[in-house]
Amino acid sequence: MQNFNLLRELGKERKPVCSKRGIAATIEELLLSAEYIMAGANYGRILCEAASHVRNLHPNTMDISAIPVVKKLSHLPMVGDPSHGTGPPRQGCSHGARRGGRRPPTGC
C-alpha cells in the first residue's frame, strides 16, 4: 500500500489489479492505493479484504465488517479472502484453499 512507484506502474497496465488490504493498513489506505492505480487510467481494480491484526485475538483475523464499509464508500468491487484468517495450513480451510479443494496427502 505504500510502494507508490509500484502503484503508479500498475496504473499504466491494462490488466485488472487485485489489491489485498495489508495487516496494519486502514480502509482509507486501501482506497487511496486504488486511487493511485486509477490515476494511471487502469480502472480494472478489485479490492480484497484478507487478514488484519486485531488485539487479543488470533493474529490473522479477517475483518468481515470492512467489506460493507468499503462497498458503501467506493464503487469498486470488494471481495473477501478467508484463507489467511484461518491460521496455519494444517487447520483446514487455508490448506484446502491452497490445494484447490483436492484431498490433502497423508501425513499433513
Side-chain angles (χ1 to χ4, degrees):
M1 307 250 154
Q2 297 178 357
N3 189 343
F4 302 112
N5 292 329
L6 176 64
L7 294 173
R8 284 188 204 104
E9 289 299 316
L10 288 171
K12 296 175 186 176
E13 292 293 319
R14 296 296 169 244
K15 296 181 180 180
V17 177
C18 180
S19 177
K20 288 187 180 183
R21 189 173 106 168
I23 286 181
T26 64
I27 292 173
E28 182 181 10
E29 290 171 335
L30 178 67
L31 295 174
L32 290 174
S33 71
E35 286 195 26
Y36 261 91
I37 293 174
M38 290 188 301
N42 183 343
Y43 300 105
R45 175 76 176 178
I46 300 171
L47 304 175
C48 180
E49 173 62 32
S52 59
H53 187 70
V54 180
R55 267 188 255 152
N56 301 328
L57 294 175
H58 189 278
N60 293 326
T61 303
M62 183 173 163
D63 185 11
I64 296 175
S65 65
I67 296 173
V69 171
V70 171
K71 284 187 171 243
K72 187 174 184 177
L73 295 174
S74 175
H75 68 282
L76 298 170
M78 178 77 176
V79 297
D81 179 10
S83 65
H84 294 289
T86 58
R90 295 177 189 264
Q91 291 183 355
C93 180
S94 61
H95 185 76
R98 285 189 329 180
R99 298 190 52 85
R102 289 180 286 168
R103 188 174 175 191
T106 54
C108 280

